[in-house]
Amino acid sequence: MVTNFIKQKAEELKPVLVELRRKIHAHPELGFEEEKTAALIAETLQKLEFEVQTGIAKTGVVGLLRGEKAGKTIAFRADMDALALQEENDKPYASLHPGKMHACGHDAHTTSLLGAAMILKELQNNLPGNIKFIFQPAEESTGGAKPMIEEGVLANPQVDAIFAPHVWPDYPAGKITVQYGPTMAAPDYFEIEITGKSGHGALPHKSIDAIIVACQVVNSLQTIVSRKRDPLDPLVLSIGTIQGGSAFNVIADRVKMTGTVRTFNLETREKMPLLMEEIISGICKAFGADYKFKYEKYFPPTINDEKMTAIAEKSAAKIVGKENVIVETKPSMGGEDFSFFLQEVPGSYIKIGINNPAKGIIYPLHHPKFDLDEDVLPITAALMAQIAWDFLQE
Ligand code: NI
């Protein structure tokens, strides 16, 4: 049976995958700078005799495995980039690059996908269709998915379905989580700059205090969430940075803030810039201050396709057993640029449990002590291989 073969092969590959993951983990590279990671991926795929394309969206790599029989084309996406974060683990494979760390598990996604490639290569003779392995840059920053799509990764051959795994510390290692419909929010970015009039700290009446204005703006923006929108429609507005002032006894003439808005509902997303600007401009007017406001849409919400998620759920049950498949119903307000792929092609974003307190693996994503249970590497590789097999048989 194919599942037994896939599982056995994945287990055999475990030492290879652990070594690969540790190598990538020790050498993290930031978005659009994943040169060495991309070279390692390309070399691995070339050894498997895949058709390999490099330099897509700067550092992206695509490997194509053509089955012996004609059929549909399924794609998998792994992100390759690390975070600008100093690792605080003292493991032998900890980051060798100061200020850079694989704290979101993209090292594991890349490794697992290479593992799936190794397994599926062995099934090539019986494969009715093609498999594309997409290794994407810069998921953490401005996003590599969109430029990769623009450079044609979903064409030649045309991709019919796409899947992506992401390690998830909220779930125990050994569990696989699928979700029907919305799973991740649309993450947007904004900047607000308030300009008042500087003056002596003792003479407030002769100045326009940009800090007082900014405080009103910060508090009032939250009333969009609490008073302007339906409480059952998920919405988050967070100010992440605020800078202003130069001395304790000088009234600040300028405050700059940046933040993020998270939504699922497209109508809410469309309205946010206007709702925010009404508050900013009204408050500034009341105090005689000026403002600049910039709102940038980053990624769309990540919406899983029902049919593709059903395939993922069934394939996952074959790999880890039905009792270890979680069907999540609560979406996350995090963002993910895999959403751009899902706008083009039906697919599903799958969360892989990695939490294991017995091994001290308890930290959240983006934490300086983040790590993952490496037992999930063969599980994830097997899952992708099983999904490919099941989808192409359909
Ligand atoms: Ni991530």
Side-chain angles (χ1 to χ4, degrees):
M1 211 175 110
V2 170
T3 300
N4 288 339
F5 172 81
I6 289 174
K7 283 168 79 167
Q8 193 197 330
K9 185 76 198 159
E11 250 341 279
E12 277 170 32
L13 282 170
K14 191 179 163 189
V16 178
L17 299 183
V18 168
E19 200 190 315
L20 252 178
R21 182 257 164 173
R22 292 185 177 189
K23 195 168 174 183
I24 299 171
H25 189 89
H27 301 90
E29 298 174 295
L30 300 181
F32 295 121
E33 294 171 5
E34 306 93 335
E35 311 273 348
K36 296 225 167 73
T37 311
L40 178 67
I41 293 165
E43 186 195 65
T44 309
L45 295 173
Q46 269 147 4
K47 268 190 209 152
L48 293 170
E49 295 174 330
F50 283 29
E51 293 172 32
V52 181
Q53 266 181 288
T54 57
I56 308 172
K58 266 193 185 161
T59 47
V61 182
V62 176
L64 176 65
L65 174 65
R66 288 186 197 271
E68 286 297 318
K69 305 172 206 163
K72 289 187 270 189
T73 299
I74 182 173
F76 294 97
R77 175 276 220 159
D79 35 20
M80 307 185 287
D81 56 321
L83 285 156
L85 179 72
Q86 181 62 43
E87 177 155 10
E88 286 176 16
N89 286 315
D90 53 7
K91 310 222 162 106
Y93 51 87
S95 172
L96 297 171
H97 299 168
K100 297 177 192 174
M101 178 188 176
H102 270 293
C104 197
H106 298 190
D107 50 345
H109 309 159
T110 293
T111 303
S112 302
L113 205 50
L114 289 172
M118 294 169 196
I119 299 167
L120 287 161
K121 173 71 191 172
E122 309 234 351
L123 294 170
Q124 186 173 17
N125 291 341
N126 299 308
L127 271 183
N130 312 306
I131 307 168
K132 243 183 219 186
F133 298 83
I134 300 175
F135 295 87
Q136 179 208 304
E139 192 280 324
E140 298 288 0
S141 53
T142 51
K146 200 167 177 235
M148 282 195 102
I149 296 166
E150 284 163 359
E151 291 184 32
V153 290
L154 295 176
N156 298 322
Q158 192 67 39
V159 170
D160 299 297
I162 189 161
F163 296 82
H166 201 298
V167 299
W168 218 260
D170 294 347
Y171 307 111
K175 304 272 181 192
I176 294 171
T177 299
V178 297
Q179 184 160 19
Y180 290 83
T183 183
M184 302 281 278
D188 292 336
Y189 167 85
F190 64 82
E191 269 177 39
I192 304 167
E193 195 179 314
I194 290 163
T195 310
K197 198 172 121 196
S198 188
H200 195 296
L203 306 168
H205 56 297
K206 294 193 172 169
S207 63
I208 297 169
D209 188 344
I211 287 181
I212 289 278
V213 179
C215 291
Q216 309 285 337
V217 167
V218 169
N219 286 324
S220 301
L221 284 175
Q222 291 306 326
T223 62
I224 299 176
V225 183
S226 65
R227 288 297 175 266
K228 292 252 174 155
R229 299 304 301 170
D230 184 339
L232 297 178
D233 172 17
L235 171 63
V236 175
L237 187 158
S238 296
I239 305 242
T241 70
I242 177 162
Q243 272 129 16
S246 57
F248 85 100
N249 54 0
V250 175
I251 286 176
D253 65 344
R254 212 178 71 96
V255 171
K256 193 174 171 187
M257 300 180 272
T258 62
T260 184
V261 168
R262 307 291 170 116
T263 53
F264 279 98
N265 183 321
L266 295 179
E267 188 215 321
T268 304
R269 191 184 190 201
E270 284 308 315
K271 280 197 174 145
M272 282 307 285
L274 184 67
L275 290 171
M276 290 176 71
E277 189 154 11
E278 275 173 1
I279 284 177
I280 299 163
S281 73
I283 290 171
C284 284
K285 187 163 178 242
F287 286 91
D290 287 325
Y291 72 93
K292 276 189 209 151
F293 175 53
K294 188 165 109 181
Y295 189 102
E296 272 177 40
K297 285 182 176 168
Y298 272 14
F299 315 147
T302 305
I303 316 278
N304 286 333
D305 179 82
E306 300 281 326
K307 201 175 150 216
M308 296 306 147
T309 306
I311 292 175
E313 187 184 349
K314 267 192 213 153
S315 306
K318 290 179 190 171
I319 299 301
V320 292
K322 207 171 190 293
E323 66 284 6
N324 289 314
V325 179
I326 299 168
V327 180
E328 181 60 87
T329 51
K330 203 171 86 178
S332 155
M333 295 309 286
E336 166 59 69
D337 80 340
F338 183 62
S339 55
F340 283 112
F341 288 111
L342 292 180
Q343 277 191 331
E344 305 292 321
V345 175
S348 203
Y349 183 74
I350 304 157
K351 294 174 180 167
I352 310 289
I354 52 162
N355 187 322
N356 191 344
K359 293 184 184 174
I361 293 161
I362 50 170
Y363 293 98
L365 297 172
H366 295 209
H367 190 282
K369 285 186 185 291
F370 173 81
D371 201 0
L372 52 95
D373 186 342
E374 288 171 327
D375 286 351
V376 311
L377 298 171
I379 295 175
T380 312
L383 172 67
M384 298 299 126
Q386 185 69 52
I387 290 173
W389 181 262
D390 291 344
F391 175 79
L392 294 178
Q393 304 297 323
E394 285 251 313

